[in-house]
Amino acid sequence: VFTPSIEDIYPQGFDTWVEVNRLGDRLEGRHRPGHFKGVSTIIVKLFNLLRPDKAYFGEKDAQQLLIIKKLTTDLHMGVEIISIPTVRNPDGLALSSRNNNLDPEQLNEAPIIYKALDSGKSMIMNGELNCSILRSKIASIISQSPLTEIEYLSISDLETLEELET
């Protein structure tokens, strides 16, 4: 088991960072400035230390997965990035360590996000391609929960993260 200390990874005087600019500045990156800079830097550091042939990342964090694929390609790191489908509870809530931070009431309400996204998917499968209509429907379902507040809702190109109209 590789368990380096914080000091091993970020020694005193550490001042080098890796950024995937356009992909990291959109969506989650717009709401959490510097987050993907940190993710990209630690991924590069770990890949340089471990030299893996393959690395596995969950699809739950789609933007993060895209950024990791982009940085490993752009920097010719020679690591095959393999995406793993999201594992969900029977109620649709993604299995995630972050969900351990939710209190029981929040945990009960959280599956509404999956319900909304699944509804959007069903609308697409039934022929609805207008992203404004899709966003509106998804937002209306999420807003049914008094515990939710939408920071952003995006239907975007999976390679560029640019917003789509259809």
Side-chain angles (χ1 to χ4, degrees):
V1 174
F2 179 65
T3 58
S5 69
I6 298 282
E7 294 77 24
D8 289 335
I9 299 297
Y10 298 104
Q12 186 173 2
F14 178 83
D15 195 31
T16 303
W17 300 93
V18 177
E19 289 188 77
V20 178
N21 290 317
R22 274 178 275 151
L23 294 176
D25 291 340
R26 299 169 191 255
L27 306 174
E28 188 73 8
R30 185 177 299 135
H31 294 272
R32 295 176 69 190
H35 172 70
F36 290 119
K37 177 176 152 180
V39 168
S40 296
T41 300
I42 192 62
I43 292 298
V44 169
K45 288 177 77 69
L46 290 173
F47 285 179
N48 282 337
L49 287 167
L50 300 172
R51 307 274 187 212
D53 295 318
K54 298 177 182 180
Y56 300 81
F57 291 88
E59 294 173 351
K60 180 181 72 61
D61 295 313
Q63 183 176 11
Q64 179 172 290
L65 176 60
L66 181 62
I67 286 170
I68 292 168
K69 285 181 176 182
K70 179 73 170 153
L71 79 87
T72 56
T73 299
D74 285 357
L75 298 178
H76 306 285
M77 297 189 77
V79 179
E80 180 184 358
I81 304 301
I82 300 167
S83 60
I84 304 298
T86 302
V87 178
R88 298 183 179 279
N89 289 335
D91 62 7
L93 184 63
L95 295 181
S96 169
S97 60
R98 284 179 266 178
N99 288 338
N100 293 334
N101 298 328
L102 300 176
D103 67 37
E105 187 179 17
Q106 293 169 325
L107 208 50
N108 187 53
E109 290 290 315
I112 199 161
I113 297 169
Y114 176 74
K115 178 183 173 188
L117 295 174
D118 197 44
S119 174
K121 179 181 175 181
S122 293
M123 289 174 66
I124 292 168
M125 300 303 283
N126 288 319
E128 181 58 68
L129 300 178
N130 182 318
C131 291
S132 292
I133 293 171
L134 292 165
R135 284 184 200 97
S136 178
K137 177 63 174 176
I138 292 167
S140 72
I141 294 171
I142 292 172
S143 67
Q144 291 173 11
S145 168
L147 300 180
T148 60
E149 180 181 324
I150 297 173
E151 288 182 357
Y152 63 92
L153 194 153
S154 174
I155 300 174
S156 55
D157 181 277
L158 193 51
E159 292 183 17
T160 66
L161 299 180
E162 292 179 18
E163 285 297 310
L164 298 174
E165 294 307 316
T166 56

